[in-house]
Amino acid sequence: MNDDSLSRTPVDFWFDPVCPWTWLTSRWLLEVREARPVTVNWHVMSLAVLNEGRLDELPEHNRVLMGQAWAPVRVLIAAARDHGPAVLEPLYTALGTRFHLRAEPRTRPTVEAALRDAGLPVSLADAGDTDAYDLELRASHREAIDLVGSDVGSPVIAVPGAGTDKVAFFGPVVTPAPRGEEAARLWDATLTVASTPGFYEIKRTRTVGPLFD
């Protein structure tokens, strides 16, 4: 391990690939990685798991989305198990590009195309049709929720805190994804507020939907 890797801050990022707001946060974090000494470790969480037992409370379009949300996260977990966690970033990028930038349907053919884009076996799409990977999926999801609580969604970010503790938070929710130094300034500010003891929330009503480049 070289000195550069030792000096970089590990950032754990939990994501659900069907969430457009999470996609924007992830693209912001990639910009941060170019401007600040951070290493991003990707983890899967699941909005379908999060909303189990409360689907009746959701609007119809969100209930439909939760039904479509199982297969992609199962495929991500299967890919990481079979090919290592390093495949999560390229596969998430491939899925997000097709889901959000190209507005392709969240169906098996789209997942198969994303697997090809990421250089992974198309047969991994089979994982989306089974609950065989759900134990690992739920464990990864639980790791994020244990850090921030169940009244948030995707994404969750965690960085080292004092001692063995982690500083973790939901979001930030932002659109469009900041770039360059603007992305770096938002990162610095986010860490400042998230690291403040007793700080919990800043929020305002969203006036626009997700804006993709």
Side-chain angles (χ1 to χ4, degrees):
M1 185 178 296
N2 58 40
D3 290 341
D4 178 66
S5 63
L6 288 171
S7 64
R8 301 181 76 83
T9 300
V11 179
D12 292 302
F13 184 86
W14 281 266
F15 66 93
D16 186 315
V18 303
C19 176
W21 296 101
T22 299
W23 172 255
L24 289 168
T25 307
S26 72
R27 300 310 97 177
W28 161 70
L29 192 55
L30 293 181
E31 289 287 314
V32 172
R33 189 170 65 183
E34 295 299 312
R36 294 291 185 266
V38 302
T39 299
V40 183
N41 303 309
W42 304 86
H43 309 274
V44 183
M45 66 182 301
S46 171
L47 293 174
V49 171
L50 184 70
N51 287 290
E52 280 183 317
R54 54 186 180 187
L55 290 178
D56 290 344
E57 304 171 16
L58 302 179
E60 174 62 23
H61 69 278
N62 282 348
R63 290 199 295 272
V64 171
L65 180 61
M66 292 307 97
Q68 299 169 339
W70 283 104
V73 289
R74 287 167 168 168
V75 171
L76 282 156
I77 291 291
R81 179 203 278 187
D82 294 352
H83 300 275
V87 304
L88 288 176
E89 180 177 337
L91 182 53
Y92 177 34
T93 293
L95 287 166
T97 297
R98 290 183 175 274
F99 289 162
H100 307 303
L101 302 189
R102 301 182 188 175
E104 295 181 15
R106 299 175 182 90
T107 57
R108 176 164 178 147
T110 302
V111 172
E112 290 178 347
L115 286 164
R116 284 192 290 268
D117 294 342
L120 292 165
V122 173
S123 59
L124 283 168
D126 292 342
D129 300 323
T130 174
D131 61 3
Y133 297 89
D134 284 9
L135 220 61
E136 291 166 78
L137 170 62
R138 291 176 185 277
S140 182
H141 175 84
R142 173 52 55 186
E143 189 177 0
I145 295 304
D146 284 347
L147 290 170
V148 294
S150 59
D151 59 343
V152 301
S154 173
V156 169
I157 294 176
V159 297
T164 59
D165 293 335
K166 285 189 175 183
V167 173
F169 50 90
F170 159 70
V173 177
V174 63
T175 187
R179 295 185 175 277
E181 187 56 28
E182 183 183 0
R185 288 198 303 270
L186 177 58
W187 174 253
D188 296 340
T190 300
L191 290 188
T192 297
V193 296
S195 301
T196 301
F199 179 87
Y200 292 106
E201 187 172 4
I202 286 179
K203 190 170 184 179
R204 57 187 173 190
T205 300
R206 302 175 200 173
T207 57
V208 296
L211 302 174
F212 306 116
D213 292 340

